[in-house]
Amino acid sequence: MLPKGFRVGSINAGISNKKDKKDLSLFLSDYPANVAALFTSNIVKAAPVLTDIDILKKSKKISALIANSGCANACIGKDGLKDAAMMNAAVEKEFALPKNSVLCASTGVIGQRINLSGLGGALKTLSETIGSSEQQEIDAALGIMTTDKAVKKI
């Protein structure tokens, strides 16, 4: 069960090469939430990790997390940083959220550029369909699964 004031959703945005798989999940707080994060100490950090570290230096209030599966957005240089920033900005725009209030996460294939061609339409659909039902919570968990064998939820 989601905490009060949180909504989630998931959709197939064409990021994963697995057809019909939910591959983009959104976790949205109705009110800016206090946030803390723990990141890898590895010298190699994916673009979403670097982007999120930068955002959390500027703000401790976060309204959303956008997460995808199918592509880790890792080890592709400046393009990865641009794509992570574009994901965040698109969520901020679609949900009328303040700048630096969205974090992103990516999991999946390393060394490949993320396909964001369907992002705009996916976010529009998510804005109309997110909610707090148990099925939406399961769908959001499915949207960030890669090699997992079972849905992880609290």
Side-chain angles (χ1 to χ4, degrees), residues 2 29 40 82 106 130:
L2 289 172
S29 175
T40 183
K82 288 178 193 174
S106 297
I130 61 171

Side-chain angles (χ1 to χ4, degrees), residues 52-138:
D52 291 350
I53 288 169
D54 186 53
I55 289 169
L56 291 175
K57 288 178 181 175
K58 301 171 188 170
S59 175
K60 298 291 188 247
K61 296 279 190 180
I62 299 299
S63 296
L65 170 71
I66 187 75
N68 72 273
S69 61
C71 181
N73 193 9
C75 301
I76 59 165
K78 291 183 183 192
D79 286 337
L81 294 171
K82 288 178 193 174
D83 291 341
M86 182 171 50
M87 286 176 69
N88 288 352
V91 173
E92 290 167 356
K93 181 178 179 185
E94 182 64 41
F95 292 88
L97 300 173
K99 186 169 176 54
N100 295 315
S101 68
V102 176
L103 299 178
C104 64
S106 297
T107 183
V109 179
I110 295 170
Q112 180 179 60
R113 188 148 187 205
I114 190 169
N115 175 12
L116 295 178
S117 62
L119 182 64
L123 290 176
K124 178 70 174 158
T125 300
L126 283 173
S127 73
E128 298 166 355
T129 61
I130 61 171
S132 57
S133 75
E134 184 174 357
Q135 186 58 53
Q136 287 165 312
E137 183 181 358
I138 291 168

